[in-house]
Amino acid sequence: MMAKNKIYKNLPYKKIYLYRFVVLMILISLLIPLFGLLKSGTISLFATLAMLIWTISFYLLPMLILYFNYRSYNKYTILQISNNGITYKDGLQKRAFPFEEIEYVEFNLSYPLYENRWRLAFWDEYYYALVKLKDGEKYIITCLLCDELKEIIPIDLIKKRRRVFPLVQIKEKIKLSNLVNDNILFEKKVQSFIIKFKNKSELELQNIVKSKNEYQSEAVQAAKKLLKLKEVISPVGQTL
């Protein structure tokens, strides 16, 4: 299946992976004690508490850990998928890339989901994909954001990894976060150099670009931008 210009945002699949499972857990926790009451005419407080603790410990808590972990990665992500490729936007980070630029897409699955067997816990349904591009860039797409990625990505790009508990690796998040912060800091420094260099002549700017080993990369980038700006406005006789 290929989705044409389909946009995913605001975690559209949380209704399936959170609300549906919470409702099911509540019903199970209520129906089992009710069954005991109807069968014997009495209900054990110990049995009710045991059922509640079991449900919270082995079903609800692990699921909530995965939910908030996935939510922290894709809460503000906007994913657009077309026949040509993928556009990934998360805050100030935006990247559009065709499928040809993808090195692989690694799906991190629980053991039951990986082996396609019966899932005993609701959190077994959770999974995420790590998209790695050929230039080394990595992007996280969780099932809360897009549950159709396996059908969209070309099969030869797909890898599968078994995970006991498919929590997104924290180091991946730090790497993506650092990338965004570094880009912001770089652009701020470039803007500072643009203000500093605005009165320099075209020859002076060219010397900065040519002597790039003697200047900070932000300064060289600022000089390049100013030179391009001069090229644009020079035909109409304007000056900086």
Side-chain angles (χ1 to χ4, degrees):
M1 180 184 72
M2 183 63 68
K4 186 175 181 180
N5 295 325
K6 189 167 184 180
I7 298 176
Y8 303 84
K9 61 182 179 178
N10 299 324
L11 304 180
Y13 289 94
K14 65 184 177 184
K15 295 178 181 178
I16 295 175
Y17 288 95
L18 180 66
Y19 301 150
R20 182 184 66 172
F21 291 151
V22 168
V23 171
L24 287 173
M25 279 186 279
I26 292 173
L27 290 176
I28 291 172
S29 299
L30 293 176
L31 289 176
I32 292 181
L34 181 61
F35 177 77
L37 178 63
L38 294 175
K39 187 175 181 180
S40 61
T42 181
I43 185 170
S44 169
L45 179 61
F46 175 79
T48 303
L49 289 175
M51 185 63 193
L52 183 61
I53 293 172
W54 174 270
T55 301
I56 292 174
S57 301
F58 294 96
Y59 290 90
L60 182 59
L61 187 59
M63 188 187 73
L64 289 178
I65 290 174
L66 286 176
Y67 171 76
F68 285 107
N69 174 248
Y70 287 14
R71 181 176 179 268
S72 69
Y73 282 86
N74 285 156
K75 181 181 179 181
Y76 301 109
T77 302
I78 299 176
L79 187 71
Q80 182 175 1
I81 300 177
S82 67
N83 291 327
N84 298 322
I86 296 174
T87 299
Y88 185 102
K89 183 178 181 182
D90 192 355
L92 296 175
Q93 182 186 25
K94 183 177 180 180
R95 176 71 183 271
F97 49 89
F99 294 113
E100 290 76 13
E101 289 187 15
I102 299 176
E103 182 176 340
Y104 63 79
V105 179
E106 180 186 80
F107 287 89
N108 290 258
L109 312 167
S110 66
Y111 272 63
L113 198 59
Y114 180 92
E115 297 168 359
N116 197 26
R117 56 182 170 83
W118 183 260
R119 268 79 80 184
L120 298 177
F122 298 122
W123 53 264
D124 282 339
E125 299 285 347
Y126 277 65
Y127 69 91
Y128 73 91
L130 173 64
V131 180
K132 183 181 179 183
L133 304 185
K134 293 177 180 178
D135 63 4
E137 293 279 349
K138 294 181 180 180
Y139 300 92
I140 299 295
I141 300 175
T142 69
C143 60
L144 298 178
L145 179 65
C146 178
D147 190 30
E148 304 170 336
L149 202 60
K150 292 190 294 294
E151 290 77 28
I152 295 171
I153 297 295
I155 192 169
D156 59 308
L157 297 177
I158 293 177
K159 293 183 178 181
K160 293 183 179 181
R161 179 186 176 193
R162 283 185 294 185
R163 300 282 300 280
V164 175
F165 193 65
L167 198 70
V168 179
Q169 297 295 322
I170 299 300
K171 61 182 180 181
E172 298 294 348
K173 184 175 183 180
I174 292 175
K175 191 170 183 179
L176 291 174
S177 177
N178 287 342
L179 177 63
V180 175
N181 292 333
D182 289 345
N183 288 339
I184 294 173
L185 183 60
F186 181 84
E187 287 300 324
K188 285 183 177 179
K189 289 183 178 180
V190 170
Q191 292 303 317
S192 296
F193 277 108
I194 287 176
I195 295 172
K196 185 178 179 180
F197 294 166
K198 66 179 182 179
N199 294 322
K200 288 186 178 294
S201 66
E202 186 173 341
L203 181 60
E204 289 175 314
L205 294 174
Q206 289 173 349
N207 287 334
I208 293 174
V209 175
K210 291 178 181 178
S211 307
K212 58 183 179 181
N213 293 333
E214 301 176 10
Y215 292 90
Q216 298 180 35
S217 58
E218 294 88 347
V220 175
Q221 183 66 18
K224 288 180 179 179
K225 288 189 175 184
L226 285 170
L227 285 170
K228 286 183 179 179
L229 183 59
K230 285 178 176 292
E231 290 177 2
V232 171
I233 64 177
S234 59
V236 292
Q238 296 177 339
T239 59
L240 286 173

